[in-house]
Amino acid sequence: YDNPDLQDFNFDEAKCHYRLAEGHLTLDLKAQVAGKFNLSGTVNYDVKTKATDLDLVFDQLPLKVWLPPQFKSGYNGTARATLKWHGQLDTKKDSVATIGVDLNGTHISNPILLRKFLSSKGFQVPDEIQLDKAQFLFVYQNEIFTLTGADLVAPGLLKAQLSGSLAPGDELQAKMDWQGLVLGHFLPEKYAQYLSGVLDGHVALAVKKWQFGDGSYGGSVDLIGGRLTYTSPQSTLARFLDQRPLLTLPLTRTQFTWTWNNGAMTAKHIDIRGGDDLGVRGDIAFSGSSALSGVLWIGAKPEYLTWLPDAETTVFKRKEDGLYWAKVQLSGTAKKPGQDFTADTRLSAFGAV
């Protein structure tokens, strides 16, 4: 990829001890190029079958040397890689390999890839990321690359575990679980002032030929220690009910699962609880044309319903978990949502009838 740092190698050390016996060749390798890499390991070769086994360790790999030129300035750290490979030298068919990559201690300034992905959606990206732990284990078999495991630890940002596979035809499947993602580091500033907390979650994706816009996605979200502060709906509700505490609402539970496919998005098993004051449960769907549908249950404690005569027998009919719940049928679009509180509220559980 036109990297000038990899055009010349001046070996400070290069050793090869070999043994050939009964048609079996063994090589013990050791090499060093100061500032670029250290290599050690063995090669075993069967002269008759041409079967080859590699067991190599590449150490002291400076990222500023090995990365493409456009990434060099933003990455600082030293990598380590291991390779175990079995196969034929003249073909990759039937080859089997295990590759380990250790990027512990990597420091990233102005993370380009993350910025391109998130900034286009309006999200913030931290200027500096310190990866105390970044370890990856790949397996290659049947012409499929599989990320069998990866662990990332970026203090103050998140912890994450990843897995995935890349098959012929550029069919990518991947999964990630993360913990401790601080919303304030990523949310657009216009939202970060209203919503805070730490996000745990899971995401899975399936993409063909690197067309991420046409991929399928899904996952779950769990907001820990969330707080909603001075949003427009809160202000309206606080004034209407004369309840100033609603302006700073703790989100004691915020959970849901979601899917996205060809522009259509669903959020299911929504379960949001604002202390002992308010709650939201239900499902929402946005079609590819942004049409909105779904059913939500809105819960409020009895003190908030005194403004509505006979509220607990006409609209907020269901009593559960200390709140009274009303059914809302959603319609319209994402920009112009519609809702109907007058729909039949008969139910056997929190669900449509």
Side-chain angles (χ1 to χ4, degrees):
Y1 42 76
D2 193 25
N3 187 342
D5 291 325
L6 301 181
Q7 292 178 356
D8 298 303
F9 290 87
N10 296 316
F11 284 85
D12 299 278
E13 181 181 22
K15 295 180 179 180
C16 176
H17 297 283
Y18 68 90
R19 297 180 299 277
L20 178 61
E22 299 179 354
H24 187 81
L25 176 65
T26 300
L27 305 176
D28 293 323
L29 304 177
K30 189 173 183 180
Q32 179 182 3
V33 177
K36 292 186 178 179
F37 71 86
N38 290 347
L39 167 66
S40 62
T42 60
V43 178
N44 291 288
Y45 177 71
D46 190 301
V47 177
K48 183 177 180 179
T49 65
K50 297 183 180 181
T52 306
D53 289 280
L54 304 179
D55 189 352
L56 304 176
V57 176
F58 298 87
D59 205 357
Q60 297 300 312
L61 300 165
L63 295 181
K64 287 186 178 295
V65 170
W66 287 90
L67 286 175
Q70 63 268 34
F71 295 109
K72 289 180 181 294
S73 63
Y75 290 77
N76 188 23
T78 303
R80 183 178 188 271
T82 60
L83 170 64
K84 295 181 183 292
W85 181 81
H86 173 79
Q88 302 285 327
L89 290 180
D90 56 352
T91 178
K92 66 179 180 180
K93 186 178 180 181
D94 298 326
S95 295
V96 178
T98 301
I99 304 168
V101 179
D102 185 334
L103 298 173
N104 290 354
T106 296
H107 183 85
I108 306 173
S109 302
N110 185 27
I112 297 174
L113 291 178
L114 193 61
R115 196 173 298 280
K116 286 183 177 180
F117 181 74
L118 294 179
S119 296
S120 63
K121 308 298 181 182
F123 291 93
Q124 298 185 77
V125 178
D127 292 329
E128 307 287 335
I129 297 177
Q130 177 68 30
L131 293 175
D132 282 3
K133 184 178 182 180
Q135 297 177 341
F136 306 83
L137 183 63
F138 300 88
V139 171
Y140 177 80
Q141 189 171 13
N142 299 324
E143 300 186 61
I144 297 175
F145 272 104
T146 302
L147 176 63
T148 59
D151 289 302
L152 301 176
V153 177
L157 289 180
L158 85 164
K159 297 180 180 179
Q161 303 80 44
L162 300 88
S163 62
S165 64
L166 180 62
D170 291 333
E171 293 189 12
L172 173 66
Q173 296 188 25
K175 297 179 180 179
M176 181 175 75
D177 294 281
W178 75 86
Q179 307 84 37
L181 188 151
V182 181
L183 286 180
H185 292 307
F186 293 94
L187 278 179
E189 292 184 6
K190 62 179 179 180
Y191 299 127
Q193 61 180 317
Y194 302 121
L195 178 62
S196 62
V198 175
L199 205 64
D200 292 355
H202 166 80
V203 63
L205 63 89
V207 175
K208 293 183 178 181
K209 298 186 182 298
W210 306 106
Q211 299 298 312
F212 287 91
D214 298 329
S216 298
Y217 304 81
S220 60
V221 170
D222 186 0
L223 180 63
I224 310 299
R227 180 171 292 275
L228 202 60
T229 306
Y230 284 92
T231 64
S232 179
Q234 280 178 277
S235 298
T236 301
L237 189 61
R239 287 195 302 269
F240 184 79
L241 298 177
D242 193 23
Q243 295 288 335
R244 186 173 178 81
L246 288 177
L247 293 172
T248 55
L249 187 66
L251 298 176
T252 48
R253 184 168 62 244
T254 305
Q255 302 171 340
F256 61 89
T257 62
W258 62 274
T259 61
W260 187 93
N261 191 9
N262 293 324
M265 183 173 181
T266 64
K268 293 186 176 182
H269 311 299
I270 298 169
D271 187 2
I272 301 173
R273 186 66 181 244
D276 296 325
D277 298 290
L278 301 171
V280 179
R281 295 176 178 175
D283 304 326
I284 299 176
F286 297 92
S287 71
S289 60
S290 297
L292 173 64
S293 62
V295 174
L296 290 179
W297 290 90
I298 308 299
K301 66 181 183 180
E303 296 93 307
Y304 293 165
L305 303 178
T306 55
W307 61 274
L308 179 63
D310 300 320
E312 298 164 15
T313 58
T314 57
V315 179
F316 291 82
K317 294 182 179 181
R318 175 79 176 186
K319 183 180 180 181
E320 189 166 300
D321 294 338
L323 302 180
Y324 285 85
W325 299 82
K327 181 182 178 181
V328 182
Q329 190 78 41
L330 300 175
S331 60
T333 66
K335 292 184 177 181
K336 294 183 178 181
Q339 62 279 331
D340 182 5
F341 273 91
T342 64
D344 187 356
T345 57
R346 289 172 298 150
L347 69 155
S348 57
F350 282 101
V353 295

